[in-house]
Amino acid sequence: LQECFRPFTERQESREEAKNLIYLDLHNNKIVRLNGLKQMSQLEELYVNKNHIEQTNYLTELTHLKVLNLSENRIRNISTLNNLTELRELYLNDNPVLSDISVISNYKELTRLNLSNTNVSDITPLLKLTNLEWIDLTGLQIPKGQKIKLKEKIKGITIIE
């Protein structure tokens, strides 16, 4: 990713422009690592779906993110994303080895969440997300009791199965 931004960030004025970016779409670029985004601390929307990303630790500085699309990657662990508390939309679908979503309980502003086709089997961390309006659980082996609790706890939630 740094190579992608090298011409853009070599000039001082370009580095300043990068700091002010609020939207960035890098989907379907065969990206493996997200290093190089640290300076873009004002990003509000980041689309890095359909890549080859395994780690999320390069996103920890992006605390203004409201929309994050990490779908169709190779994400195993999202625990490093614990400080992205402004997230409103999170797309993690089609990361087949992702199983632990406990960090999502920090995202009190979250309204949309896609976990379809992951290895998640425990959605109890979502019970604290009272703003959640829509969730996709397609292809997940979630105990029926957890789904019922989610519907009871978050009135009006739409659950796609």
Side-chain angles (χ1 to χ4, degrees):
L1 184 64
Q2 270 183 320
E3 286 300 315
C4 295
F5 292 117
R6 189 172 307 279
F8 182 73
T9 58
E10 283 178 352
R11 297 172 305 156
Q12 180 61 35
E13 61 271 12
S14 295
R15 281 193 290 264
E16 289 303 315
E17 291 171 9
K19 288 180 186 176
N20 295 321
L21 280 177
I22 58 170
Y23 176 94
L24 184 60
D25 188 340
L26 297 170
H27 83 281
N28 204 18
N29 277 293
K30 300 179 183 168
I31 296 170
V32 176
R33 283 185 304 280
L34 292 170
N35 53 328
L37 293 179
K38 189 176 186 177
Q39 67 203 29
M40 299 177 191
S41 60
Q42 297 304 310
L43 273 178
E44 293 182 7
E45 295 188 39
L46 178 60
Y47 299 86
V48 289
N49 47 310
K50 295 185 178 182
N51 282 293
H52 305 289
I53 300 163
E54 293 182 12
Q55 297 181 355
T56 60
N57 55 320
Y58 296 106
L59 301 175
T60 58
E61 306 288 327
L62 305 179
T63 58
H64 294 289
L65 280 178
K66 292 176 178 37
V67 178
L68 177 57
N69 190 333
L70 288 166
S71 64
E72 297 183 60
N73 277 290
R74 299 172 182 167
I75 306 292
R76 294 178 180 276
N77 185 335
I78 58 170
S79 63
T80 57
L81 302 179
N82 62 325
N83 57 345
L84 302 185
T85 57
E86 292 186 26
L87 278 177
R88 288 181 174 75
E89 297 182 24
L90 179 59
Y91 302 92
L92 295 168
N93 50 294
D94 299 293
N95 282 288
V97 292
L98 177 66
S99 59
D100 181 7
I101 59 164
S102 55
V103 70
I104 293 177
S105 66
N106 295 334
Y107 307 155
K108 305 297 186 211
E109 303 300 319
L110 201 64
T111 59
R112 297 181 66 83
L113 177 61
N114 192 334
L115 296 172
S116 66
N117 303 312
T118 62
N119 199 28
V120 173
S121 59
D122 179 12
I123 59 169
T124 55
L126 307 181
L127 295 175
K128 298 178 183 177
L129 304 179
T130 56
N131 289 318
L132 199 58
E133 299 170 357
W134 183 92
I135 185 169
D136 191 336
L137 302 174
T138 304
L140 274 61
Q141 301 298 314
I142 304 294
K144 189 173 185 171
Q146 287 187 21
K147 292 178 196 173
I148 292 170
K149 277 186 185 176
L150 191 63
K151 287 179 183 178
E152 290 172 353
K153 185 78 172 171
I154 306 173
K155 302 294 183 205
I157 190 171
T158 300
I159 300 176
I160 309 297
E161 300 181 66

